[in-house]
Amino acid sequence: MKMEAYIQNEPLQYQNIEREGKAPRSSAAQHARVLRLAAASVGVMCILQATLNIVLRLSFNQAQTVCNQLTTERDQLQKERDDLQRRLSELGE
């Protein structure tokens, strides 16, 4: 019961809490830490962008190859159809 009363009456001061074992950081040190974090974030985003570019290029090339193969097959089938129609018309004459 005494502990609950102590907890309820103790004011919370989060702004004055210091990290154990370390001296408070100066403004310049905090600024340098933020800059390092920003640089690391930009680096990770660049790596992600490069990876996505490579993956998308590979998938585009694969789709283009399939499209070219289908176009070749279509042209071949049209030629065979035209040959068969020509032979059919020759038989009918």
Side-chain angles (χ1 to χ4, degrees):
M1 193 72 154
K2 288 184 179 182
M3 185 60 124
E4 292 175 3
Y6 175 76
I7 291 173
Q8 291 174 356
N9 293 329
E10 181 67 24
L12 299 176
Q13 298 177 358
Y14 292 109
Q15 295 175 350
N16 295 330
I17 294 176
E18 294 183 14
R19 296 183 314 167
E20 294 179 15
K22 295 186 179 181
R25 291 187 177 163
S26 67
S27 178
Q30 288 177 347
H31 185 67
R33 183 173 183 227
V34 169
L35 286 178
R36 281 194 307 269
L37 180 62
S41 298
V42 169
V44 168
M45 287 190 296
C46 287
I47 291 169
L48 180 63
Q49 181 68 47
T51 303
L52 288 173
N53 287 347
I54 291 168
V55 168
L56 289 174
R57 175 58 70 179
L58 290 175
S59 92
F60 175 76
N61 286 342
Q62 184 179 10
Q64 189 69 29
T65 302
V66 170
C67 185
N68 289 340
Q69 289 172 348
L70 290 173
T71 302
T72 303
E73 185 178 353
R74 182 201 66 201
D75 293 344
Q76 183 181 2
L77 290 172
Q78 284 178 345
K79 183 181 177 197
E80 288 177 13
R81 183 197 66 198
D82 292 343
D83 288 344
L84 289 173
Q85 285 179 343
R86 182 182 48 80
R87 288 174 58 192
L88 181 62
S89 67
E90 287 175 358
L91 289 174
E93 292 177 358

